Amino acid sequence: SASPHHRLLLSHSPRFVNMAPQVDYSGLKPGMKLQAESDGQYHPAEVVVVSDAKKRAKAPVKVHYIGYGADWDEWLGASRLRSKALKKAPAKERQRVYSLADQ
């Protein structure tokens, strides 16, 4: 049977890690083109990797700015990305709040 330690690892599987931000990054794939914000302007960029590590939850998407060297690559969160593949995660809490307010 699984040890308690083993169960702990399962409960921290990547599926549960990205619950904190209300954004679903699962539509973003490496090589996908998007717009990334730098110094207040959006630039053409592409996804290098999408991380599901807990420490990267606030900025899980590594982007490469097209036409720039790899040393400009940056970890970004949804607030600095524009892509149709980026979805708002369904927030049940928010809907519940609205339904209470409507009554």
Side-chain angles (χ1 to χ4, degrees), residues 14-51:
R15 255 180 325 197
F16 301 108
V17 169
N18 277 340
M19 293 274 183
Q22 295 298 303
V23 179
D24 177 7
Y25 294 97
S26 63
L28 296 179
K29 304 283 181 247
M32 192 176 273
K33 303 280 192 287
L34 44 68
Q35 299 276 311
E37 185 267 322
S38 180
D39 295 324
Q41 291 190 304
Y42 281 88
H43 303 275
E46 66 180 32
V47 177
V48 179
V49 67
V50 181
S51 172

Side-chain angles (χ1 to χ4, degrees), residues 2-81:
S3 69
H5 182 66
H6 183 67
R7 271 203 303 278
L8 188 72
L9 285 177
L10 284 178
S11 70
H12 285 88
S13 72
R15 255 180 325 197
F16 301 108
V17 169
N18 277 340
M19 293 274 183
Q22 295 298 303
V23 179
D24 177 7
Y25 294 97
S26 63
L28 296 179
K29 304 283 181 247
M32 192 176 273
K33 303 280 192 287
L34 44 68
Q35 299 276 311
E37 185 267 322
S38 180
D39 295 324
Q41 291 190 304
Y42 281 88
H43 303 275
E46 66 180 32
V47 177
V48 179
V49 67
V50 181
S51 172
D52 51 27
K54 206 167 209 155
K55 64 176 190 204
R56 291 242 179 257
K58 286 194 174 79
V61 185
K62 188 176 192 182
V63 300
H64 170 68
Y65 293 101
I66 293 162
Y68 291 83
D71 39 338
W72 290 90
D73 292 3
E74 221 177 342
W75 288 96
L76 301 178
S79 62
R80 291 178 60 194
L81 297 170

